[in-house]
Amino acid sequence: MSESRVSAYLRQHRAHDVRKLLSAWRNAVKGTPFRVATVGKKDGFPLVQISNGKPSARPGFYVSTGIHGDEPAPLWGLLEWFLKGGYAPLGDRPILLFPCLNPLGITENHRVDGDGRDLNRIFDQVKVSPIREVRSAIHGLQFHTAICLHEDYDAQGAYLYDLNRTGSDTVGRALLAKATSKRIPIDGRMRIDGRKAKNGVLHSQRLDMRNVPGLPEAVFFYVNKLAERTLTFETPSEFSLTDRIDAHRRFLNAAARACG
Ligand SMILES: [Zn+2]
């Protein structure tokens, strides 16, 4: 599928159309080493993962989107990144993508799932789908980079949670710079979501992990040392949808290149 066909979905107000998204993915993987697998069911929708089936000789690359249903841009940003071959720099690394973790939420433009749960606060609940499926898919794997794509209604630009143990946010700042533009600038607030930010980056060294509400997906990756770098990229929900999608695509491009 070409980029213009992705854009056509948006013009037809299909940004929240999960079935169209999944059928676009089934077309997108044709002729590539990737496979779309239905690994479960969530609120009556198939829960799918996409992977390139490479053996885990090197630390992998993980991306999830759509855990919050009122945040549609990441779904299409991930698809556009894939369609444009953004995964090429990752070479023989295992790649695991969850293109929509909360399909009913996306369909109904709700943050929460069909039972009213914020799925990004309960990553310790192993019986709840899609947490069960994600945890099963990553079991025994190690990731170089794990990425959770989100949006934020309060944001004044794009920002990034950079969770790593290097003591530095240099990579995070470089990735954010590559993802942003005049149309979606860096969120310059000193405090974001009640936490200390510097040039749009919230670094693990400056975050108090004891004050995190529940267990978000990214914190689950970080505390369990599943990835060298866990990144949560956020775009401002009130900005243009097309620009937000492009910001997510650019962020993934930069992250894949940095991973190499
Ligand atoms: Zn979110």
Side-chain angles (χ1 to χ4, degrees):
M1 194 175 69
S2 69
E3 184 194 355
S4 59
R5 285 183 60 198
V6 175
S7 304
Y9 285 138
L10 305 179
R11 280 199 299 278
Q12 292 160 22
H13 301 284
R14 284 180 170 169
H16 286 270
D17 190 333
V18 172
R19 296 194 193 282
K20 285 287 171 196
L21 177 84
L22 297 182
S23 96
W25 270 108
R26 289 193 184 93
N27 285 328
V29 298
K30 283 179 189 162
T32 76
F34 288 82
R35 207 168 70 85
V36 176
T38 299
V39 292
K41 242 185 168 189
K42 176 69 183 164
D43 297 326
F45 289 81
L47 189 64
V48 310
Q49 73 176 42
I50 294 144
S51 63
N52 60 352
K54 302 263 190 210
S56 55
R58 300 175 75 201
F61 189 78
Y62 171 93
V63 186
S64 80
T65 83
I67 197 165
H68 288 146
D70 53 349
E71 302 173 12
L75 283 68
W76 303 95
L78 176 63
L79 177 62
E80 288 216 24
W81 170 77
F82 184 89
L83 286 168
K84 290 188 169 174
Y87 52 84
L90 295 166
D92 63 354
R93 286 189 190 276
I95 299 171
L96 178 61
L97 313 174
F98 278 94
C100 185
L101 288 178
N102 180 7
L104 180 67
I106 288 287
T107 304
E108 297 188 340
N109 200 15
H110 280 156
R111 177 179 175 92
V112 294
D113 75 351
D115 294 310
R117 293 174 291 214
D118 185 335
L119 298 168
N120 202 34
R121 296 291 179 270
I122 54 168
F123 245 73
D124 49 340
Q125 295 193 20
V126 291
K127 289 185 180 157
V128 174
S129 180
I131 288 121
R132 180 181 54 223
E133 288 82 359
V134 169
R135 290 179 59 142
S136 152
I138 64 175
H139 184 72
L141 296 178
Q142 194 65 33
F143 296 92
H144 178 284
T145 303
I147 298 175
C148 308
L149 298 176
H150 284 259
E151 302 204 85
D152 180 351
Y153 283 97
D154 297 322
Q156 297 173 11
Y159 66 88
L160 178 71
Y161 287 92
D162 180 356
L163 309 185
N164 71 71
R165 290 183 170 79
T166 67
S168 158
D169 66 358
T170 309
V171 174
R173 277 190 284 128
L175 297 180
L176 189 60
K178 286 192 174 127
T180 47
S181 65
K182 265 189 194 158
R183 300 177 73 85
I184 306 257
I186 291 172
D187 189 328
R189 287 175 296 161
M190 304 289 283
R191 289 190 80 77
I192 294 178
D193 217 10
R195 301 183 184 95
K196 211 184 248 182
K198 199 173 169 191
N199 301 321
V201 177
L202 297 96
H203 184 246
S204 33
Q205 259 198 341
R206 298 190 293 266
L207 294 174
D208 182 356
M209 289 294 171
R210 289 164 305 181
N211 280 339
V212 175
L215 185 61
E217 183 184 16
V219 176
F220 168 74
F221 271 79
Y222 179 69
V223 297
N224 290 293
K225 301 184 177 161
L226 298 171
E228 289 171 36
R229 190 175 293 281
T230 303
L231 303 167
T232 302
F233 179 63
E234 305 256 3
T235 46
S237 309
E238 297 297 325
F239 285 45
S240 143
L241 178 61
T242 312
D243 292 339
R244 282 148 50 205
I245 290 170
D246 200 47
H248 283 281
R249 181 188 64 77
R250 290 158 61 131
F251 180 77
L252 291 171
N253 260 348
R257 287 206 185 102
C259 185

